[in-house]
Amino acid sequence: MPVQDIADAIGDCGPAERADAFRLVAEGLQPEVFAHLDDVRQESLVETLTPDEMRRVMNELSPDDRTALLERLPRDAVKRLLWLLKPGEVREAVRLLGYPEESAGRLMTPDCVKVRGDWSVARALAHIRQLGDERETVNLIYVTEGSGRLLDIVSLRQLVFANPAALVSSLADESLITIQPDADREEAVRLIQHYDLSALPVVDVDGRLLGIVTVDDVMDVAEEEATEDFHKMGSVGALHLSLKDARPFLLYRKRIGWLVMLVAVNGIGAIGIKYFEASIEAVVALVFFLPLVIASGGNAGAQAATLMVRALATGDVHARDWLGLFIKELSVALALGLTMGLFVWAAGSMIGGGGLGLAVALAMICVVLVSSLFGLLLPFVLERMNFDPATASAPLITSVADIAGIAIYFLIATVILGLPMPGA
Amino acid sequence: MPVQDIADAIGDCGPAERADAFRLVAEGLQPEVFAHLDDVRQESLVETLTPDEMRRVMNELSPDDRTALLERLPRDAVKRLLWLLKPGEVREAVRLLGYPEESAGRLMTPDCVKVRGDWSVARALAHIRQLGDERETVNLIYVTEGSGRLLDIVSLRQLVFANPAALVSSLADESLITIQPDADREEAVRLIQHYDLSALPVVDVDGRLLGIVTVDDVMDVAEEEATEDFHKMGSVGALHLSLKDARPFLLYRKRIGWLVMLVAVNGIGAIGIKYFEASIEAVVALVFFLPLVIASGGNAGAQAATLMVRALATGDVHARDWLGLFIKELSVALALGLTMGLFVWAAGSMIGGGGLGLAVALAMICVVLVSSLFGLLLPFVLERMNFDPATASAPLITSVADIAGIAIYFLIATVILGLPMPGA
């Protein structure tokens, strides 16, 4: 049974039986099973296992999984767990935790197979054999200088079928992609994805090999980041745990902030409507089309923002591309507005006469245009200001589009229907 | 220079120079560079390269990349390219294209290293050496029976350090994860991600090895699927190409369908408002708070839908979990509604008196509750009906919430303010 499935089975146990179920796992497999449990279940085991049991797990956990656990725990739990580690492991754990949050260093494991470039192939193979099975990725061998500087990567296959007397350095092909430990982990995702790597070496400023980031860790990060962007687009704060495990109060906290802020934004719209009170009293039919026009603007704006936020996240477009996309959006939004304007012109004319139909159609075109361009620009502005572009969420765009829509709609209607301007 | 960077450089060339730039690449690298070009650029090269140049590329392209190209091209271009292939390659290409769209079979490459379980380790190693460098992933060796049935996977490392006289089958550990070729490619993503595999073997119903799906292909698929869901959440049709390459008309087509449909949905809201015309004429202040209340409902509903759509996509929740999540959402949405109701109660009372304040607050609570529950349920209903849950887009939820909001708001206000019921 694969460790991942054992972990799933333990995950499905209730909190009371979880520790007992974990104790049933063969001791040698416990660290690996622990690594595959999700955050909530790891933390509950940290609370319930005895120090001796946790000592075994902590010392055998691979360094990247250990970092992922320690970085989430409160300070006193971290201290308690570090006490359980062997001296060498403590140093390593503390060093890895020293890298910035969400950096490549936090994802890295120092466990990788290193050989010297000036060794013979035979000596390198003997060295690899000696290391045993414990290294995470043994099919890639890291070739270093005496100083520890990374020269190249060779595959086990290359070594196995090379002349045993040849120098390892003679196999090098000098195409080396590396990352620094304090780089953003999304950069590690991008490099591994772009260059189809199974592991990405992490080097310090002098090019010395510190460890590797493996493709399986990076896949998890990519999914996490996509989920975070997804939630942000829906105006939900990052959860960092399963929806099933999230308590109602946590969900409330992650949602209420944005909702209240959006109520405030929409409050400005309410003031805007009040300003045009006289127009409404004169032509009540204006109100029928109000939500329709402003919602359509919001929808078009949300579309534009969605396209930009995702394209910025995947690296498909960059901040410098904004002008070209703006010009393209100008024509697209105009065409969208004209099409939708045609529909509401017919409806408006039927219900409220030709004047209202014209007003509604013109307002629709302007609102769709303004909202689309706003939806396109906001992600770029946020990116430029070093905010996450995904903060330009659909609800935010919709709410701002509502304000613009209210102003545009009543202004156009007041002029076309010849109503008295407020304050005039 | 890595092939990916050569491909990027060629991608940056204008359409006129692209073919010439491609011709500058060493012939041996051309197929790999071609594979790393994006869809639009591959298709432009198919149009501009000579048949002889395309023959070389097509015959050397790895089978999975070839499938990815052929499945996008129009029928006559496919025919033309198949003519360029060697007989064996044609058969393979046609076989791979025979699997359903978006299936694991379409992602698969038959190029993998197979050895027989009844061979000695020494014979297996000699066989691997003979195969040369052409296989995609040579660190994993697939152990089969005489019938072609897959028995197990061993690593090159295991073979290298095993007793040369031992049978290959003695190294097997019998933990085998496989997939069938007509399974959904998202299932392949899920398996590779869950079990941290670098390649997933594809087998037929009799367990015979057909090929493998590699982790780098799967990462691209995961990103594509996330982008598709992202776009759907924003009511944009799937683009399948770079935003920079998309022509305005394509963008218009991908957006107008949903927008017009949503205009129709919002049209129902317009009819709803007309129904309460008398209430508006009696208390114009009702209109001030209308967009605020319905937008807030839409925002809360979009949040709930966002959480569910993403959780269903990542496998965090399943269709069967709906009831528990519904009950949790009940309490969360009630708390959200109460908080937001408090804010608008204060504003409503100040502007329109205590009656209006109460009406607005009560309507807010009901609208947030109804919209949140609708936003939660719709993705599950869609999933159950075998539609993509992401069709429950933020704009769709917002627009439906608008209709419900209009009805709830005016009903509550009409009752609380003692206005005459329409039609009464």
Side-chain angles (χ1 to χ4, degrees):
Chain A
M1 196 169 173
V3 285
Q4 289 87 354
D5 292 340
I6 303 178
D8 283 353
I10 292 176
D12 289 339
C13 294
E17 308 94 63
R18 201 169 292 150
D20 289 327
F22 185 74
R23 289 185 184 109
L24 293 177
V25 176
E27 287 192 5
L29 286 181
Q30 282 183 3
E32 246 194 294
V33 169
F34 185 89
H36 285 100
L37 288 170
D38 66 25
D39 298 4
V40 176
R41 286 163 183 84
Q42 284 189 351
E43 285 156 31
S44 90
L45 282 183
V46 167
E47 296 304 316
T48 47
L49 290 180
T50 67
D52 270 341
E53 289 167 333
M54 271 314 291
R55 173 175 296 122
R56 193 168 50 232
V57 170
M58 286 299 290
N59 278 294
E60 296 297 320
L61 215 51
S62 81
D64 50 339
D65 293 328
R66 198 158 56 201
T67 308
L69 170 66
L70 291 174
E71 68 181 3
R72 293 194 315 268
L73 293 176
R75 191 178 280 265
D76 54 324
V78 173
K79 243 189 211 158
R80 192 154 46 80
L81 289 181
L82 285 179
W83 265 108
L84 300 174
L85 290 177
K86 295 172 196 156
E89 304 282 331
V90 177
R91 259 199 309 277
E92 194 171 76
V94 170
R95 186 168 67 85
L96 290 176
L97 281 172
Y99 295 116
E101 268 181 60
E102 310 225 320
S103 67
R106 286 279 179 104
L107 286 182
M108 163 178 99
T109 176
D111 278 353
C112 56
V113 182
K114 300 177 203 175
V115 301
R116 291 265 298 268
D118 53 7
W119 287 357
S120 70
V121 167
R123 180 169 172 194
L125 280 172
H127 174 74
I128 295 165
R129 168 170 228 159
Q130 215 176 25
L131 286 175
D133 253 334
E134 52 187 77
R135 304 294 150 142
E136 265 206 26
T137 42
V138 84
N139 55 307
L140 291 180
I141 320 288
Y142 297 86
V143 184
T144 58
E145 285 187 337
S147 65
R149 203 170 70 83
L150 181 63
L151 291 175
D152 205 351
I153 303 172
V154 297
S155 68
L156 180 61
R157 181 172 193 287
Q158 281 179 286
L159 281 183
V160 168
F161 297 127
N163 174 2
L167 284 186
V168 170
S169 57
S170 70
L171 302 176
D173 66 354
E174 287 173 18
S175 70
L176 197 57
I177 313 283
T178 61
I179 195 170
Q180 305 237 332
D182 41 12
D184 193 300
R185 60 181 194 167
E186 287 193 72
E187 177 66 11
V189 175
R190 208 191 60 74
L191 287 173
I192 286 187
Q193 199 156 13
H194 186 69
Y195 293 108
D196 296 338
L197 308 174
S198 59
L200 174 66
V202 184
V203 299
D204 67 12
V205 280
D206 298 321
R208 272 191 298 262
L209 181 63
L210 301 172
I212 55 172
V213 175
T214 54
V215 67
D216 52 317
D217 296 331
V218 148
M219 274 195 85
D220 296 341
V221 169
E223 188 178 283
E224 242 177 72
E225 298 277 353
T227 300
E228 228 179 274
D229 276 4
F230 213 83
H231 287 172
K232 277 197 188 146
M233 268 318 277
S235 296
V236 183
L239 276 185
H240 295 303
L241 83 165
S242 163
L243 202 52
K244 282 193 274 187
D245 293 325
R247 288 174 193 286
F249 182 64
L250 177 73
L251 288 172
Y252 172 82
R253 268 204 304 130
K254 294 291 181 183
R255 291 168 63 178
I256 191 65
W258 270 109
L259 286 179
V260 167
M261 213 214 76
L262 293 171
V263 166
V265 172
N266 278 300
I268 302 174
I271 297 169
I273 301 175
K274 186 165 160 39
Y275 186 70
F276 287 98
E277 195 169 352
S279 302
I280 298 169
E281 276 170 347
V283 186
V284 174
L286 272 180
V287 180
F288 307 160
F289 292 96
L290 175 64
L292 172 63
V293 171
I294 63 180
S296 297
N299 293 339
Q303 285 184 332
T306 300
L307 286 169
M308 293 310 137
V309 166
R310 183 63 187 165
L312 282 166
T314 59
D316 179 27
V317 307
H318 300 277
R320 62 173 182 276
D321 300 323
W322 74 272
L323 187 60
L325 292 163
F326 183 86
I327 292 168
K328 185 152 67 180
E329 182 69 19
L330 213 57
S331 64
V332 175
L334 197 63
L336 293 173
L338 283 170
T339 314
M340 294 155 80
L342 205 67
F343 281 90
V344 292
W345 170 77
S349 303
M350 277 194 320
I351 291 175
L356 185 69
L358 185 65
V360 173
L362 274 183
M364 179 67 101
I365 297 169
C366 293
V367 171
V368 167
L369 199 64
V370 168
S371 304
S372 295
L373 295 176
F374 176 71
L376 174 134
L377 285 181
L378 187 60
F380 285 104
V381 172
L382 290 168
E383 167 104 340
R384 194 58 71 92
M385 290 164 68
N386 283 322
F387 285 104
D388 188 335
T391 315
S393 65
L396 178 61
I397 300 285
T398 308
S399 297
V400 174
D402 280 2
I403 301 179
I406 288 166
I408 292 171
Y409 178 67
F410 280 115
L411 267 177
I412 290 182
T414 305
V415 169
I416 288 191
L417 300 179
L419 303 171
M421 260 303 164
Chain B
M1 196 170 174
V3 285
Q4 290 87 352
D5 291 340
I6 303 178
D8 284 353
I10 291 175
D12 289 340
C13 294
E17 307 95 62
R18 202 170 291 148
D20 289 327
F22 186 74
R23 290 183 184 112
L24 293 177
V25 176
E27 287 192 6
L29 286 179
Q30 283 184 3
E32 248 195 291
V33 168
F34 185 88
H36 285 100
L37 289 170
D38 65 26
D39 297 4
V40 177
R41 284 159 185 88
Q42 284 188 352
E43 285 156 31
S44 92
L45 281 183
V46 167
E47 296 303 316
T48 48
L49 290 181
T50 68
D52 271 340
E53 288 166 335
M54 270 315 292
R55 174 174 296 124
R56 192 170 48 233
V57 171
M58 285 300 291
N59 278 293
E60 297 297 319
L61 216 51
S62 81
D64 50 341
D65 293 327
R66 198 160 53 201
T67 309
L69 170 66
L70 292 174
E71 69 182 3
R72 293 193 316 267
L73 292 176
R75 190 179 280 266
D76 55 324
V78 172
K79 243 187 212 162
R80 193 153 45 82
L81 289 181
L82 287 179
W83 265 107
L84 300 175
L85 291 177
K86 295 174 197 154
E89 305 281 330
V90 177
R91 261 197 308 278
E92 193 171 78
V94 170
R95 185 169 67 85
L96 291 175
L97 282 172
Y99 295 115
E101 267 180 60
E102 310 224 322
S103 67
R106 287 278 180 106
L107 285 182
M108 166 178 97
T109 176
D111 279 352
C112 55
V113 182
K114 301 176 200 175
V115 302
R116 291 265 297 268
D118 53 6
W119 287 358
S120 70
V121 167
R123 180 169 172 194
L125 280 173
H127 175 73
I128 294 164
R129 168 169 228 163
Q130 216 175 26
L131 286 175
D133 254 333
E134 51 188 78
R135 304 294 148 143
E136 265 206 24
T137 43
V138 84
N139 54 306
L140 291 179
I141 321 288
Y142 297 85
V143 185
T144 58
E145 285 187 339
S147 65
R149 204 169 69 82
L150 181 63
L151 291 175
D152 205 353
I153 303 172
V154 298
S155 68
L156 181 61
R157 182 171 192 287
Q158 280 178 286
L159 281 182
V160 168
F161 297 125
N163 173 2
L167 284 186
V168 171
S169 57
S170 69
L171 302 176
D173 66 355
E174 286 172 17
S175 69
L176 196 57
I177 313 283
T178 61
I179 194 168
Q180 304 235 334
D182 41 11
D184 195 301
R185 61 180 194 168
E186 287 192 70
E187 177 66 12
V189 175
R190 207 191 61 73
L191 287 173
I192 287 188
Q193 198 156 13
H194 186 69
Y195 294 107
D196 295 339
L197 308 174
S198 60
L200 173 68
V202 183
V203 300
D204 66 13
V205 280
D206 299 319
R208 272 191 298 263
L209 180 63
L210 300 172
I212 55 172
V213 174
T214 54
V215 66
D216 51 318
D217 296 331
V218 147
M219 274 195 84
D220 297 340
V221 169
E223 188 178 285
E224 241 177 74
E225 297 278 353
T227 300
E228 227 178 276
D229 276 5
F230 211 84
H231 287 172
K232 277 198 188 146
M233 270 315 279
S235 295
V236 182
L239 275 186
H240 295 305
L241 83 166
S242 163
L243 202 51
K244 282 193 276 187
D245 293 325
R247 289 176 192 284
F249 182 66
L250 178 73
L251 288 172
Y252 171 81
R253 270 203 304 130
K254 293 291 179 183
R255 291 169 64 178
I256 192 65
W258 271 108
L259 286 179
V260 166
M261 214 215 75
L262 292 172
V263 166
V265 173
N266 278 300
I268 303 174
I271 297 169
I273 300 175
K274 187 166 163 39
Y275 186 71
F276 287 99
E277 195 169 351
S279 303
I280 298 170
E281 276 170 347
V283 187
V284 173
L286 273 179
V287 180
F288 307 160
F289 292 96
L290 174 64
L292 172 62
V293 170
I294 64 179
S296 296
N299 292 339
Q303 284 184 332
T306 301
L307 286 169
M308 293 311 137
V309 167
R310 183 62 186 166
L312 282 166
T314 59
D316 179 27
V317 307
H318 300 277
R320 61 173 184 275
D321 300 323
W322 75 273
L323 187 61
L325 291 164
F326 183 86
I327 292 168
K328 184 150 72 180
E329 182 69 19
L330 214 57
S331 64
V332 175
L334 196 64
L336 293 173
L338 283 169
T339 313
M340 293 154 81
L342 205 68
F343 279 90
V344 293
W345 171 75
S349 303
M350 278 196 318
I351 290 175
L356 184 69
L358 185 64
V360 173
L362 275 181
M364 179 67 101
I365 296 169
C366 293
V367 171
V368 167
L369 199 63
V370 168
S371 305
S372 296
L373 295 177
F374 176 71
L376 174 133
L377 285 181
L378 187 59
F380 284 104
V381 172
L382 290 168
E383 168 104 340
R384 193 58 70 94
M385 291 165 65
N386 283 322
F387 285 105
D388 188 334
T391 314
S393 65
L396 178 61
I397 300 286
T398 307
S399 297
V400 175
D402 280 2
I403 302 179
I406 288 166
I408 293 171
Y409 178 66
F410 281 115
L411 268 177
I412 290 182
T414 304
V415 169
I416 289 191
L417 300 179
L419 303 172
M421 260 302 165

